[in-house]
Amino acid sequence: MKEKNEAGFHYLYDHYSGALYGVIFRIVQSKEYTEEVIQDVFVKIWNSILQYDSTKGRFYTWMINIARNTAIDYLKSKGFQNELKNQPLPDFVYNSAELSTTNKTSDFIGFKDVLGGLEIDKQELIDLAYYQGYTQNEISEKLKIPLGTVKTKMRNALIKLKDLLKDYQ
């Protein structure tokens, strides 16, 4: 990838597109929008590969952060917001059956089971932040708890999650 080898890009896409697609889909909740965002994600990965530093974290984590941030940026973009306003109601009403992530094909690493090892309040924080794209300030407002409490609980949740995930490496 760092040598801008096209074969490296194909390997990356073949092996990671499914996982990144799942992360993006959980945030944007639309197949059409997910396909747009995933293209942007791979372009960003390709263009910023030289910024990746293996001493700061795993490559997979770096890519997931790019995917998550790109999906959140997409949802907050004026173009997306205007598009939602211009759609007829049935096109953007939440369809829980279509968007359900309870089937095992979309959770191929069993992450839902791993999250089950966290306390309910920490599961909610992870869901709001990483799957629904809320910022810590937005979580604070939504749950009506102080921002400092959100930050502390989120940090504790991530530490516990890291501990739970070490068996999966």
Side-chain angles (χ1 to χ4, degrees), residues 1 11 16-17 41 56 62 93 114-115 119 139 141 160:
M1 286 288 296
Y11 176 86
Y16 294 101
S17 62
V41 167
K56 293 183 179 178
W62 181 75
V93 172
V114 175
L115 279 177
E119 294 87 1
I139 293 170
E141 292 171 13
K160 172 79 176 191

Side-chain angles (χ1 to χ4, degrees), residues 97-163:
E98 180 184 333
L99 298 177
S100 173
T101 56
T102 57
N103 65 29
K104 289 296 178 187
T105 58
S106 65
D107 187 21
F108 61 92
I109 63 169
F111 194 68
K112 187 174 182 179
D113 295 336
V114 175
L115 279 177
L118 295 175
E119 294 87 1
I120 298 296
D121 62 329
K122 290 183 174 87
Q123 288 179 30
E124 182 179 26
L125 288 175
I126 297 292
D127 181 62
L128 289 170
Y130 290 93
Y131 293 125
Q132 295 184 40
Y134 283 79
T135 64
Q136 290 181 336
N137 283 330
E138 293 169 336
I139 293 170
S140 173
E141 292 171 13
K142 180 175 178 64
L143 300 179
K144 295 181 180 20
I145 58 177
L147 179 60
T149 303
V150 170
K151 290 180 177 188
T152 300
K153 285 186 173 190
M154 182 66 75
R155 182 178 186 280
N156 291 339
L158 292 174
I159 289 170
K160 172 79 176 191
L161 195 55
K162 181 180 178 182
D163 186 51

Side-chain angles (χ1 to χ4, degrees), residues 17-168:
S17 62
L20 297 179
Y21 185 94
V23 168
I24 296 165
F25 185 79
R26 288 286 307 255
I27 294 170
V28 300
Q29 301 181 350
S30 162
K31 292 178 184 177
E32 177 185 342
Y33 299 137
T34 299
E35 290 169 4
E36 287 181 36
V37 173
I38 200 155
Q39 290 176 8
D40 291 343
V41 167
F42 277 99
V43 169
K44 284 182 180 182
I45 291 170
W46 179 259
N47 289 335
S48 61
I49 190 67
L50 295 176
Q51 295 174 1
Y52 169 67
D53 183 356
S54 62
T55 62
K56 293 183 179 178
R58 295 174 56 201
F59 185 61
Y60 180 68
T61 305
W62 181 75
M63 290 190 308
I64 284 184
N65 283 328
I66 290 174
R68 179 183 168 275
N69 293 338
T70 303
I72 291 168
D73 290 346
Y74 183 79
L75 287 180
K76 292 181 178 181
S77 72
K78 286 185 179 183
F80 178 77
Q81 293 299 320
N82 288 336
E83 193 172 320
L84 281 182
K85 290 177 187 174
N86 294 328
Q87 289 184 5
L89 187 60
D91 290 343
F92 68 87
V93 172
Y94 186 81
N95 181 344
S96 60
E98 180 184 333
L99 298 177
S100 173
T101 56
T102 57
N103 65 29
K104 289 296 178 187
T105 58
S106 65
D107 187 21
F108 61 92
I109 63 169
F111 194 68
K112 187 174 182 179
D113 295 336
V114 175
L115 279 177
L118 295 175
E119 294 87 1
I120 298 296
D121 62 329
K122 290 183 174 87
Q123 288 179 30
E124 182 179 26
L125 288 175
I126 297 292
D127 181 62
L128 289 170
Y130 290 93
Y131 293 125
Q132 295 184 40
Y134 283 79
T135 64
Q136 290 181 336
N137 283 330
E138 293 169 336
I139 293 170
S140 173
E141 292 171 13
K142 180 175 178 64
L143 300 179
K144 295 181 180 20
I145 58 177
L147 179 60
T149 303
V150 170
K151 290 180 177 188
T152 300
K153 285 186 173 190
M154 182 66 75
R155 182 178 186 280
N156 291 339
L158 292 174
I159 289 170
K160 172 79 176 191
L161 195 55
K162 181 180 178 182
D163 186 51
L164 292 171
L165 284 171
K166 67 180 167 186
D167 295 334
Y168 289 88

